[in-house]
Amino acid sequence: LRAGSNVTVNKAPSDAIHANDKIIIAGGQFSATVEGDAIDCEAGGVEVRGGRTRVAVTAAASKAVKSAGNVTVNNAQVLLMTQGGAYFNSADQDIKSAAGIRCPGSVVVSGSTLLVLSSGLAGKGINCDGAFTVTDSQVKVKATGATFTYNSKSSSAKAITAEGNVTINSGKVWAMALGGDGCEGVESKMSMTINDGEVMVSASDNGLNASSGIVINGGAVYGFSAENDALDSNTTFTLNGGTVVLSGSA
């Protein structure tokens, strides 16, 4: 999508944009309301380099942005909305739920405004298998919905969850996850580092959660958990600077 262009998809039974290679939104305005995935890239990554992007998806386990690689948002204004149920995929032996961004790579947000609203059973705001990094941006993510359970497997709503490192360099990050047990604000399966900026997290379960340690070098961090820990590091917690205010129930 080139700068200056204006593309609107009012209704589609499947994906609004589907490509086997990289998808690049270089500017302009793109809006879509679909039942499938709004932006689906099967082989490459998704890059939003400017302009305004606004999409809404409604089907079960649908994704506003789905990429086979990384997702990069740079100097852009992006609004992603999802709703719909979850289901158990017998082929993958896994639970599938809706997400604002879903990718096996990393998510990088710089110089942008990103708003993600994900509702429905076990909705995810941002869900990536790589790292999640924010620089000079305003990122607001809200995930709501009850936990979906199938036999011994379950999936809960999470605002931001990454298998890799979570790094917040600057800007403002606001994350909320509501829906009961397992609903977490910002989760890293590796380490979490906050260098500067303002981070506000509210969750039913853990507010900030990292498997390999949390380091705060500066900025202001506000965490709240209604039913568990406001900040939960499975290994170490290091506070080198900044202001940290936490309220939990555990």
Side-chain angles (χ1 to χ4, degrees):
L1 185 65
R2 297 180 182 274
S5 57
N6 191 333
V7 176
T8 300
V9 180
N10 289 321
K11 187 176 181 180
S14 186
D15 304 335
I17 298 178
H18 188 108
N20 294 325
D21 203 344
K22 182 179 291 186
I23 294 176
I24 299 175
I25 298 176
Q29 297 189 47
F30 172 71
S31 62
T33 301
V34 296
E35 295 180 5
D37 302 323
I39 300 172
D40 187 354
C41 186
E42 285 194 9
V46 175
E47 297 182 17
V48 183
R49 299 177 181 174
R52 296 181 179 180
T53 298
R54 182 186 185 278
V55 300
V57 295
T58 58
S62 57
K63 312 294 188 289
V65 177
K66 181 180 178 182
S67 169
N70 299 326
V71 174
T72 303
V73 181
N74 185 29
N75 294 323
Q77 298 180 33
V78 179
L79 170 60
L80 308 175
M81 297 175 288
T82 75
Q83 59 180 331
Y87 65 90
F88 179 76
N89 187 304
S90 58
D92 296 336
Q93 289 294 297
D94 197 11
I95 295 173
K96 304 295 183 181
S97 60
I101 297 177
R102 174 69 185 108
C103 70
S106 297
V107 175
V108 177
V109 185
S110 59
S112 298
T113 299
L114 172 62
L115 174 60
V116 183
L117 304 174
S118 186
S119 63
L121 287 173
K124 306 294 189 296
I126 298 173
N127 184 4
C128 64
D129 295 341
F132 174 71
T133 305
V134 176
T135 304
D136 294 335
S137 299
Q138 292 192 34
V139 177
K140 295 184 178 182
V141 184
K142 182 178 181 181
T144 60
T147 297
F148 179 83
T149 302
Y150 182 88
N151 292 334
S152 61
K153 292 181 176 291
S154 64
S155 180
S156 301
K158 296 180 186 291
I160 300 170
T161 178
E163 293 290 329
N165 297 326
V166 170
T167 304
I168 299 172
N169 292 314
S170 54
K172 294 183 179 181
V173 176
W174 180 88
M176 177 180 286
L178 304 175
D181 184 50
C183 297
E184 297 186 324
V186 182
E187 176 191 42
S188 168
K189 297 296 186 182
M190 295 184 69
S191 65
M192 185 181 303
T193 302
I194 299 173
N195 291 316
D196 202 352
E198 183 178 271
V199 180
M200 301 180 67
V201 179
S202 179
S204 298
D205 206 314
N206 293 324
L208 300 163
N209 184 16
S211 298
S212 301
I214 296 176
V215 177
I216 299 177
N217 293 316
V221 178
Y222 306 94
F224 171 79
S225 171
E227 302 175 10
N228 209 335
D229 301 324
L231 185 150
D232 181 10
S233 173
N234 294 347
T235 55
T236 60
F237 170 61
T238 304
L239 178 60
N240 293 320
T243 300
V244 179
V245 179
L246 304 171
S247 176
S249 62

